[in-house]
Amino acid sequence: MSPSPLEIARKLAPMIRTYAGDTEALRALPAPVFEALADAGMFHLAFPRSMGGAELDLPTYIQVIEEIGKADASTGWIVNQCAIFATYAARMPRDVARAIWIDTPRGVVANTPLADARAVVVEGGYRVTGRQGFSTGCRNAAWVAAHAQIIDNGKVRLDKGEPETRYLFVPVAEAELLDTWHVRGMRGTGTHHFAVNDVFVPADRTVLSVTAPLRETGPLYQIPRTLKFASGDASVALGLARTCLTTFSDLAGAKTPRAMQALLRDQSMIQVIVGQAEADLRSGRAFLHEAVRDIWSQVSSGGTPTLDHRATLRIAATHAIRLSARIVDAVYSA
């Protein structure tokens, strides 16, 4: 029997951890890490099963992302961003989606959130121009998804009364990757800008970014994409917090602070800090997993996520991220 995605993530974790320093220095995934993740299907965890992806259930998906996040937060962030963006395939013709994500060797798409590019309607498609930011994983990607407003006969085209926006899939060789990701934390995500200049994109290699109807109807695609992103981001944070807490516990069992005789772990204040951090981590993780299970149960039974489901999952994800940051701060100070 083939190993599960969770088993694969755990198997890859030691290699990801070994290369974490290189990921940070390169501001991108080192080739061995990217190739191992891609070949193991980690970037296709949320891609439709009908086209060759895993279409993993969300409760399992967040566990996979958490395991990768334990090994290296930047790597977990890249996998989550690229894997969840691939759910756009559920809104595209199957042959087009397969050509981008499956038929392209190690087909990974880096995206950008804001629709600040311009795509001019021409015969057979669009010509897109713009400089776009926050494109996580673009140095490892085969494609970038330019996010643009559509200009038709010199005017912004409307879609249900709002400016029409589309993602236009551009081979990375036809884009310019800009070296803009100079940050203190999460350097390894390589969340650079990219630029496209009057690049032609066929009409069928685009997708409405807001209003495209679903072609695949599995429960994973009934959950708002923003919540899937948030669930994965929170899982990365929880994984990072767990590794920080474990690392500190190992240190506390071996280090005697200067001018003291007892080990760090034997100090009552340290015990309080670690105990509180453990409680925070477990409670934040439990809340996130409960919220994910509840919304998954709703969509798996054919229902639509309610406002309460959506709000609770957003709260749980944000809460997990904030708790994780607090845990890291606490053990660093300790």
Side-chain angles (χ1 to χ4, degrees), residues 87-107:
T87 60
Y88 267 107
R91 300 176 185 274
M92 300 170 67
R94 286 183 178 179
D95 58 334
V96 177
R98 279 191 59 88
I100 292 169
W101 276 281
I102 300 295
D103 297 341
T104 301
R106 296 175 178 137

Side-chain angles (χ1 to χ4, degrees), residues 9-319:
R10 288 170 176 159
K11 184 177 180 180
L12 291 173
M15 183 188 70
I16 294 169
R17 191 174 296 112
T18 297
Y19 277 96
D22 294 326
T23 301
E24 185 87 350
L26 291 170
R27 291 175 297 146
L29 293 178
V33 175
F34 170 70
E35 291 168 4
L37 289 166
D39 293 347
M42 293 293 103
F43 296 106
H44 293 155
L45 291 174
F47 191 78
R49 189 176 297 111
S50 63
M51 302 179 224
E55 198 173 324
L56 199 59
D57 63 278
L58 192 60
T60 302
Y61 174 82
I62 62 170
Q63 293 180 63
V64 174
I65 297 300
E66 184 180 1
E67 289 300 316
I68 298 173
K70 287 178 185 177
D72 179 59
S74 289
T75 302
W77 187 273
I78 292 173
V79 172
N80 182 54
Q81 293 299 309
C82 295
I84 295 302
F85 186 77
T87 60
Y88 267 107
R91 300 176 185 274
M92 300 170 67
R94 286 183 178 179
D95 58 334
V96 177
R98 279 191 59 88
I100 292 169
W101 276 281
I102 300 295
D103 297 341
T104 301
R106 296 175 178 137
V108 171
V109 181
N111 69 91
T112 185
L114 299 180
D116 51 11
R118 289 167 54 89
V120 178
V121 176
V122 296
E123 184 177 356
Y126 307 88
R127 302 202 74 90
V128 59
T129 299
R131 182 181 188 272
Q132 305 205 271
F134 293 98
S135 187
T136 290
C138 58
R139 287 185 172 177
N140 298 111
W143 303 82
V144 291
H147 198 187
Q149 287 193 354
I150 304 303
I151 309 301
D152 193 357
N153 291 321
K155 297 181 180 180
V156 175
R157 192 160 70 189
L158 299 182
D159 176 24
K160 298 180 180 179
E162 298 293 331
E164 180 178 319
T165 59
R166 287 180 176 267
Y167 275 111
L168 300 94
F169 294 82
V170 177
V172 74
E174 296 180 28
E176 180 185 5
L177 302 184
L178 307 174
D179 188 2
T180 57
W181 192 241
H182 299 284
V183 294
R184 287 190 176 187
M186 302 289 280
R187 288 191 191 98
T189 64
T191 306
H192 298 276
H193 286 64
F194 68 85
V196 287
N197 184 23
D198 198 33
V199 174
F200 175 73
V201 179
D204 63 357
R205 213 168 68 207
T206 75
V207 62
L208 289 164
S209 57
V210 178
T211 60
L214 281 171
R215 295 168 180 257
E216 303 288 333
T217 57
L220 183 62
Y221 309 117
Q222 309 302 321
I223 300 172
R225 186 178 300 100
T226 54
L227 293 180
K228 293 193 283 275
F229 275 126
S231 300
D233 291 345
S235 298
V236 172
L238 290 168
L240 173 59
R242 171 52 68 194
T243 295
C244 286
L245 190 53
T246 300
T247 302
F248 177 74
S249 296
D250 292 342
L251 173 69
K255 179 178 180 178
T256 301
R258 186 175 61 180
M260 293 186 181
Q261 295 182 348
L263 290 170
L264 200 58
R265 72 180 181 192
D266 295 327
Q267 297 181 30
S268 59
M269 184 56 68
I270 295 300
Q271 294 169 5
V272 169
I273 291 170
V274 170
Q276 184 62 61
E278 186 69 36
D280 284 346
L281 181 56
R282 293 193 185 201
S283 63
R285 186 177 188 273
F287 184 21
L288 177 68
H289 283 240
E290 177 186 315
V292 167
R293 286 195 303 270
D294 284 350
I295 199 170
W296 185 256
S297 176
Q298 174 77 358
V299 297
S300 295
S301 62
T304 300
T306 64
L307 178 59
D308 184 60
H309 285 117
R310 300 198 307 272
T312 300
L313 182 49
R314 173 60 72 178
I315 292 167
T318 301
H319 184 61

Side-chain angles (χ1 to χ4, degrees), residues 7 53 73:
E7 291 169 333

